[in-house]
Each structure stands twice: as C-alpha cells, then as structure tokens.
Amino acid sequence: MAAQELFLRDGYEATTIRRIADLVGVSAPALYLYFKDKDAIMLALCDQTFRSLNEVMDGMEKEDVAPIARLRRCGTAYIRFALEHPRQYWLTFMSGNTPDKIKKRGHKPDTAGLDPEEPGAQGAIAFSRLMGIFREIENSGYALNYPVDTAAELVWMCLHGLVAAIINNPEFPWTRRDALIEGMLEVAVRGVVKMPG
Amino acid sequence: MAAQELFLRDGYEATTIRRIADLVGVSAPALYLYFKDKDAIMLALCDQTFRSLNEVMDGMEKEDVAPIARLRRCGTAYIRFALEHPRQYWLTFMSGNTPDKIKKRGHKPDTAGLDPEEPGAQGAIAFSRLMGIFREIENSGYALNYPVDTAAELVWMCLHGLVAAIINNPEFPWTRRDALIEGMLEVAVRGVVKMPG
DNA sequence: CTGATAACTTAACATTGATAACTTACCGGT
DNA sequence: ACCGGTAAGTTATCAATGTTAAGTTATCAG
C-alpha cells in the first residue's frame, strides 16, 4: 500500500498530486485517505529511501575497525548516498520543511527517543548516527580540537556542504568529484581531530 | 522603479505575485512588464542584496593584510552575510533554480566575463570573489594540500555547509553559533593550507 | 434484509502563475 | 491644433495546483 511512492523518481518537485494518483491508478483525493497532505507523501518517500542508508550504517557500526577509519567509511557512505538520491536528500535536508518535532529534539539524546516510524525521522536518525560515531571516537582516546558535539556538527556541516553544493549545481564545472569527496573527508578529519605530532 | 522589491521581506516563498503587486500599488499583470516571470523578480531581489556583499568584499580586497588573514575575514563576512539574509541566500544557492548561464560558465575565468547586470550573476560573483582570494593565497607562496581550484571549492563548500545547515534548521539546538563559525573557518584553513611545521 | 463502515469517485473551490484584449495618457511631427 | 503611435496599465480570463465536500459503491455484522 506504500509501494506506490517509488514512482516519483521522475519529476518530483514538479510532481503533481494528480500525476501521482494517475500512476498509482487511483483518483487524486484518494491519496488524502492515506496521507495528510502533499508534504506527508514526500516525507514518507524520503523516509523509505533514508532507511536504506541507516541500514548500511547499522552494518558499519558492527564492523571492527579503528574508530577514525569508521568515520571515514561512514562519511563516504553518507556522501555517496546523498549523491545517489539527490532529490530525497534535497527534500529532507534542504527544502526547508523540516518537521518541527525533530528540530526541537536535537541530537543530544542520541537516537534513543526517536520513533523510527514517525514521518521525517529517518533523516534525523542518519544524522544522529553520524554524531554517535563521533562520541565513540572521543571515547577511544583521540584528542579533539573542539567539544565533541561541536566537532560532530562541524564535520557533518562539511559533508553536507559538499553534497549540497553538488546537488544544487550539478552542471557546475567542479573539479574531479572523487577528489572533492576524498579531499573533504580529509579536511574534516584533519580539522577536527588532533593529529599525533 | 526597482525599490519595490524590498517589500518581500515577510512571506517570501509564500509571497504571491498578487501580494507583491498590492504592496507596490499596482495590478498583478503589470509586473510582467518589468520581469519575465516570478523567478525573475526573486532573482532581481537577491541580486540587489548580494550586491552589498560584493561591495564589502571589494573593500576587503584593497586592505593590506596577509592573504590568509584576508581569507578569514572574507569567510567571516560571507558567513555573516548569509545568516543575515537567509532567504536571499536560500533562493540563490539552495532553491535549485540556478540560472543555466552561470551553471555552465563556472568560476575558471574569474569574475571577468560575468556581466554584473545579468540577473542572477551577483551570487556567482560573490562565489568567484572567494575563489580569487584563494588564487592569491597560492601566489603568496603558501603551500596547499590540493590544487588551487579544488582547494577553493572545498573551502567554499565548508562555509556553505555551515550556513546551509543553520539556515535550513534554525530551530535545531546547535552549539554556540560563534563557536561554530570560528571553528569552521579554522577547520577549512587548517584542512587546506599546509601549516608550517 | 438492514444498516453502518470503509474505500473510493466525481464535483467543486480557492489560489496560484501567466496571457490576451482592451483602455488611457503622453508626445512628436505636420 | 490635430493625428498616430508608443508606453504603461487595467480588467477579464486561463489552465493547473492542492484540498475539501458530497455522493457512490461495496462489504459485512446482526
């Protein structure tokens, strides 16, 4: 009953409720029986997409690698995911309609207390996961240049800045994309964790 | 004849063409005599706002300070400007309707070849200016960790990530804002220019 | 068979961005 | 002083959008 949302791939923002209904083979107002409004539909679709990112990160959390390497891996996964699902990423983190509940809650209490079913939560969960890795890094005895929460925010902002720029200006003649990705990870890590020596 | 646009401050995205027309004291279709469509109106307003940022940066370019300090100052100015004009910044860099011409041209030829009158150019000019400062840094004999254009892109993405995150989630309980700003500048600089020692 | 509940449809609205057709004022040339 | 055309607006009108109201069909317990 929710598989229908996969169809949006094409137009998306230009995707009208009537077109969705047509694709699903149902009349437009029928959608309002399942979703509050158009934003709810989009949110549900984004959540579904982000769920896969969170699963990937779940898996990574079990891997036994040095915490800083884990940060690199998770960062890469985050970036790649964002670039592979630009529209969902845009809607979740750049459209400007972040649901109020998540805004208020913040990341302090970790992912605990985040209801994964709540629409719009998946994006915040991915975000929180990245934060959690950072706490772990600090607990492993690495020295940071900033308080852990500030450090986490800074790193996330770096990654977000990279993908946001690329997503919003895909036709801009950026230099090699992989160089940018690798470079930004380096910049973020070097900037935040105090390197030995 | 263009002073009218200042009125948008309030609703903005929710700002309808008819409301603009009412505020200006003119009928709705009259606006189409001066602007191609709604986007053109918004672009014109954004340009007007960004012009002030470019003027500030023009002034900074004349100051006689070490190039790396100049980068810090310009970065701070950029960030502060973005946070002071969140809606304009959003429309210019995050709304997803960057004009095609600017997309294609890129920043390689510096600001030369950018017609400042062309709608939508001011944002790109501010961007290019930041890039230019970076070329200057390299010419001053600083060693960079990346090619100059990549370095410039990375730094801009850092700044952009910071303001984008804050602008889109103003209610999120970020840690102290000034700490984030100062921290991000540090991260960007430390990450990109090879520090002595 | 009745009556209510669920799942949907058609009809209708208000608002939006945008265009077409008409009106009015001004201004230079003869 | 008249005439023609251009500039600047207006009103009337469109098609499309998100959304709600009212009606229709089917299903199923008692």
Side-chain angles (χ1 to χ4, degrees):
Chain A
M1 201 53 91
Q4 53 204 35
E5 311 155 322
L6 299 177
F7 298 80
L8 300 187
R9 293 306 147 91
D10 34 321
Y12 223 90
E13 259 302 69
T15 300
T16 171
I17 281 215
R18 282 171 174 80
R19 250 198 294 273
I20 302 177
D22 277 5
L23 270 181
V24 179
V26 84
S27 218
L31 298 178
Y32 286 83
L33 297 179
Y34 301 96
F35 300 97
K36 182 176 160 291
D37 55 3
K38 187 182 180 183
D39 283 357
I41 301 181
M42 309 232 152
L43 256 184
L45 170 53
C46 293
D47 268 25
Q48 183 179 317
T49 311
F50 265 82
R51 212 172 287 257
S52 70
L53 170 62
N54 286 326
E55 280 165 13
V56 169
M57 285 197 161
D58 267 350
M60 285 184 172
E61 223 161 49
K62 309 223 176 334
E63 290 177 7
D64 188 27
V65 293
I68 202 169
R70 182 190 317 242
L71 172 65
R72 278 205 160 85
R73 292 204 48 178
C74 283
T76 312
Y78 185 89
I79 293 174
R80 180 165 339 155
F81 172 85
L83 294 180
E84 274 169 0
H85 308 278
R87 284 189 274 257
Q88 282 88 338
Y89 190 88
W90 190 88
L91 279 173
T92 306
F93 283 128
M94 300 156 76
S95 71
N97 6 339
T98 320
D100 291 354
K101 305 144 194 172
I102 289 154
K103 275 185 196 163
K104 297 280 182 180
R105 176 158 34 216
H107 56 86
K108 310 295 168 59
D110 213 300
T111 61
L114 272 183
D115 177 7
E117 295 312 317
E118 189 134 358
Q122 292 295 323
I125 289 180
F127 180 89
S128 280
R129 171 97 5 122
L130 215 51
M131 297 283 188
I133 291 171
F134 243 87
R135 260 184 293 275
E136 181 195 356
I137 286 188
E138 193 197 36
N139 292 341
S140 309
Y142 278 85
L144 300 181
N145 290 321
Y146 308 93
V148 58
D149 44 2
T150 301
E153 290 171 5
L154 285 177
V155 167
W156 179 72
M157 284 170 170
C158 284
L159 305 187
H160 175 68
L162 173 77
V163 299
I166 293 181
I167 287 178
N168 261 298
N169 304 64
E171 318 225 20
F172 194 93
W174 304 106
T175 54
R176 273 186 53 245
R177 181 173 291 197
D178 351 5
L180 282 173
I181 295 178
E182 208 172 331
M184 184 57 90
L185 271 167
E186 239 180 279
V187 167
V189 170
R190 193 175 16 227
V192 154
V193 11
K194 205 165 288 176
M195 276 314 173
Chain B
M1 201 52 91
Q4 55 205 35
E5 311 154 323
L6 298 177
F7 298 80
L8 301 186
R9 293 304 148 90
D10 33 319
Y12 222 91
E13 261 302 71
T15 299
T16 171
I17 280 214
R18 284 171 173 79
R19 249 198 293 273
I20 303 177
D22 276 7
L23 271 180
V24 179
V26 86
S27 215
L31 297 178
Y32 287 85
L33 297 180
Y34 300 98
F35 302 97
K36 182 176 159 289
D37 55 2
K38 188 182 181 184
D39 283 356
I41 301 182
M42 309 234 152
L43 256 185
L45 171 52
C46 292
D47 268 25
Q48 183 179 317
T49 311
F50 265 82
R51 213 172 287 257
S52 69
L53 169 62
N54 286 327
E55 281 166 12
V56 169
M57 285 197 161
D58 268 351
M60 285 185 172
E61 225 162 47
K62 307 222 178 337
E63 290 178 7
D64 188 27
V65 293
I68 202 170
R70 182 191 315 243
L71 172 65
R72 279 205 160 85
R73 292 204 48 176
C74 283
T76 312
Y78 185 89
I79 292 174
R80 180 167 337 160
F81 172 85
L83 295 180
E84 274 169 2
H85 308 277
R87 283 190 276 257
Q88 282 88 339
Y89 190 88
W90 190 87
L91 279 173
T92 306
F93 284 129
M94 300 156 75
S95 71
N97 6 341
T98 320
D100 292 353
K101 304 146 195 171
I102 289 155
K103 276 184 195 163
K104 298 280 183 180
R105 175 156 37 216
H107 57 85
K108 309 296 168 61
D110 211 303
T111 59
L114 272 184
D115 177 6
E117 295 313 317
E118 190 133 357
Q122 292 296 322
I125 290 181
F127 180 90
S128 281
R129 171 98 3 120
L130 213 52
M131 297 282 188
I133 291 170
F134 241 88
R135 260 183 293 276
E136 180 195 357
I137 286 187
E138 194 199 35
N139 291 342
S140 310
Y142 278 85
L144 300 181
N145 290 322
Y146 308 93
V148 58
D149 43 4
T150 301
E153 290 170 6
L154 286 176
V155 167
W156 179 73
M157 284 168 168
C158 285
L159 306 188
H160 175 67
L162 172 77
V163 298
I166 293 181
I167 286 178
N168 261 298
N169 304 62
E171 317 226 18
F172 193 92
W174 305 106
T175 53
R176 273 187 52 247
R177 180 172 291 197
D178 352 5
L180 283 173
I181 296 178
E182 208 173 332
M184 184 57 90
L185 272 167
E186 238 180 279
V187 166
V189 170
R190 193 174 17 227
V192 153
V193 11
K194 204 166 289 176
M195 275 314 173

